[in-house]
Amino acid sequence: MTTRAEIAAKLDDFAFQKVNFGGFLMNKRAKNSHALWMRASDKGVTELTLLTSRDYGEGNVYDVATFTLDGTVPEQTLAELRPQADRLADSINLREHGYVYTCLEPWDGGGAIWISKKPEFRALSRAQEGVYVVPIQRLSGLGEPRWLAWVREGGQLHIAIVYKP
């Protein structure tokens, strides 16, 4: 079984980031993520906990997940967040809110990414307690998202899902 520490060590290798964060933009995302990862001192890997999921068919699966930077979301918090995420997923279109997080970028969009204009699921977060909630659009064929890389730089939390640990 892969551990958080093993994945974090692999993220130092550009080739590993290229496999996870590369793509159609000529690996610009992987290069930017690798540079951010390497210069940051406050970084790590944590596990995601799925709060709810919706399968819209034909590989269109969306999740609402939560995480803390140390990997442990308290059970009481999970018990409170699950029904809230479920209700919200039923009341608004989760497909319009899901995001792929395929490179290290601001967890809240940082005002520059369209996700910043859709705060409903992130509003379930308890950032002051270190508990974050994100809506995720799964990458087709890669299964349930489990691992999340994070970097804190300049007070901004950047995240990316690691699908291929």
Side-chain angles (χ1 to χ4, degrees):
M1 174 171 221
T2 305
T3 67
R4 296 184 309 159
E6 289 170 339
I7 296 169
K10 289 179 185 179
L11 285 165
D12 288 344
D13 180 8
F14 175 71
F16 180 77
Q17 288 213 17
K18 188 175 170 181
V19 166
N20 278 279
F21 308 147
F24 64 93
L25 295 177
M26 297 173 48
N27 299 315
K28 182 178 179 182
R29 293 179 300 176
K31 288 177 184 175
N32 291 342
S33 290
H34 188 254
L36 176 59
W37 179 265
M38 294 307 291
R39 74 175 173 260
S41 59
D42 191 12
K43 61 188 174 185
V45 173
T46 190
E47 288 188 63
L48 289 166
T49 300
L50 297 186
L51 298 171
T52 193
S53 296
R54 297 293 184 273
D55 187 338
Y56 295 100
E58 298 182 8
N60 292 304
V61 180
Y62 292 77
D63 302 296
V64 180
T66 187
F67 65 94
T68 64
L69 301 186
D70 70 6
T72 307
V73 179
E75 285 299 321
Q76 178 63 33
T77 303
L78 290 174
E80 294 167 7
L81 288 176
R82 278 192 172 106
Q84 293 173 11
D86 218 32
R87 279 191 301 275
L88 191 54
D90 287 336
S91 66
I92 65 173
N93 187 351
L94 179 54
R95 290 177 88 163
E96 291 181 3
H97 291 74
Y99 195 68
V100 291
Y101 300 102
T102 55
C103 62
L104 287 167
E105 56 190 320
W107 83 277
D108 62 356
I113 302 170
W114 71 271
I115 195 75
S116 65
K117 296 169 180 58
K118 298 191 175 278
E120 289 88 344
F121 288 98
R122 286 184 325 282
L124 297 177
S125 298
R126 299 173 182 185
Q128 69 283 2
E129 298 171 28
V131 176
Y132 301 90
V133 175
V134 292
I136 299 168
Q137 177 184 358
R138 284 190 201 178
L139 293 180
S140 188
L142 294 178
E144 202 171 272
R146 178 169 179 209
W147 300 105
L148 183 113
W150 62 269
V151 169
R152 193 184 315 267
E153 183 180 66
Q156 177 68 55
L157 179 63
H158 300 263
I159 63 170
I161 296 172
V162 181
Y163 278 102
K164 301 173 187 174

